[in-house]
Amino acid sequence: MNRIVTLDEFILRRQKDFPYATGELTGLLRDIGVAAKIVNREVNKAGLVNILGFAGEENATGDRVAKLDIYANEKLIECLSNSGECCAIASEENEDFVPLPPLEGKSSKYVVVFDPLDGSSNIDVNVPVGTIFGIYRRKSDPSGPATLEDFLQKGSELVAAGYVLYGTSTLLVYSTGRGVNGFTLDPTIGEFCLSHPDIQMPGRGRYYSVNQGYYLKFDVEMRRYIDYCSDLNLRLRYIGSMVADVHRILFQGGIFLYPNTRKYPHGKLRLLYECNPLSFIVEQAGGKAVTCQLERILDIEPQDLHQRATIAIGSAEMVDEMVEFVQRYSALPV
Ligand code: P6P
């Protein structure tokens, strides 16, 4: 039987891989692991306590907020304040970034972006949801407050990114830019244990993931590509929870698409805390992630905390094929 390697042990052991190996990032990743355990506890019993349903308000980007969204957001902020390594956070649930109280005598080097509970509209029907996070080194003076520029960094500047999938089991997947590793929560010991070392995304897969209901609203080149996937007898799988949909193709290969529509002319998914962290992970695992206008997601210069992006993310060969369809059928010069 393989020896159990906990998330904490793994992070400490890999700390030497990280150029700034002075322990700050280690502390930050451990804070996120603690928050994930706390959120998991509530997600797993959401049906038993008065935490289902919607809180009767909208978040920064106009989406209805589930009670568990608010709970997860509060817990992440609380846990990220513990080690003093994070000076501010930007969350889907907050209009502006949120400075965190500095710890006595500590100048924190990082900021964290996160979607506390992605896909939360699925909670009430017991469909997997997830937390998505990304970690940047701040650009502002460590002795001063965080600034917006600390957050408006390209995805390629991420020092770490990951997600937690609250599904049939609870899985934390992360990367610090040297490969991707997955950890499954063992509830009997309350630890995330290494379960999927060195994840490599297959070059192609049997799945495509898109909201087929919007087919007639997509541009012609996306419809042609979706027809191609169907002609190849690929299997359509779409949960409506980006973390779960992308997780499947990370492990089994495939492509996830959220193109522009009339309702979302720039795409629906948010660049900073959905597209960038998941694209960082997918690229680290050998996959690709581009906008439906063919720009590499991680190269986009963010202009706003909550800006949206179109996305095609998944197996490298399949993303390349999608690019060819856009180039061949697009009415726009690409
Ligand atoms: P649609 C969940 O609300 C989310 O932000 C992503 O997790 C998911 O992929 C997408 O929106 C689903 O959007 O328009 O297909 O319901």
Side-chain angles (χ1 to χ4, degrees), residues 63 92 115 117-122 132 210-212 214 238-245 256-258 263-264 268-270 274 308:
D63 290 350
E92 179 188 32
D115 181 350
L117 213 56
D118 178 67
S120 52
S121 55
N122 292 309
I132 310 172
V210 64
N211 187 330
Q212 191 73 20
Y214 300 158
Y238 191 76
I239 294 179
S241 177
M242 186 183 189
V243 177
D245 284 320
F256 171 92
L257 304 157
Y258 205 115
K263 180 178 180 183
Y264 294 114
K268 174 185 181 184
L269 302 174
R270 286 79 169 192
E274 287 178 317
R308 300 175 190 268

Side-chain angles (χ1 to χ4, degrees), residues 301-317:
E301 289 279 359
Q303 304 303 315
D304 174 84
L305 289 181
H306 302 291
Q307 83 180 60
R308 300 175 190 268
T310 61
I311 188 166
I313 180 171
S315 295
E317 293 169 31

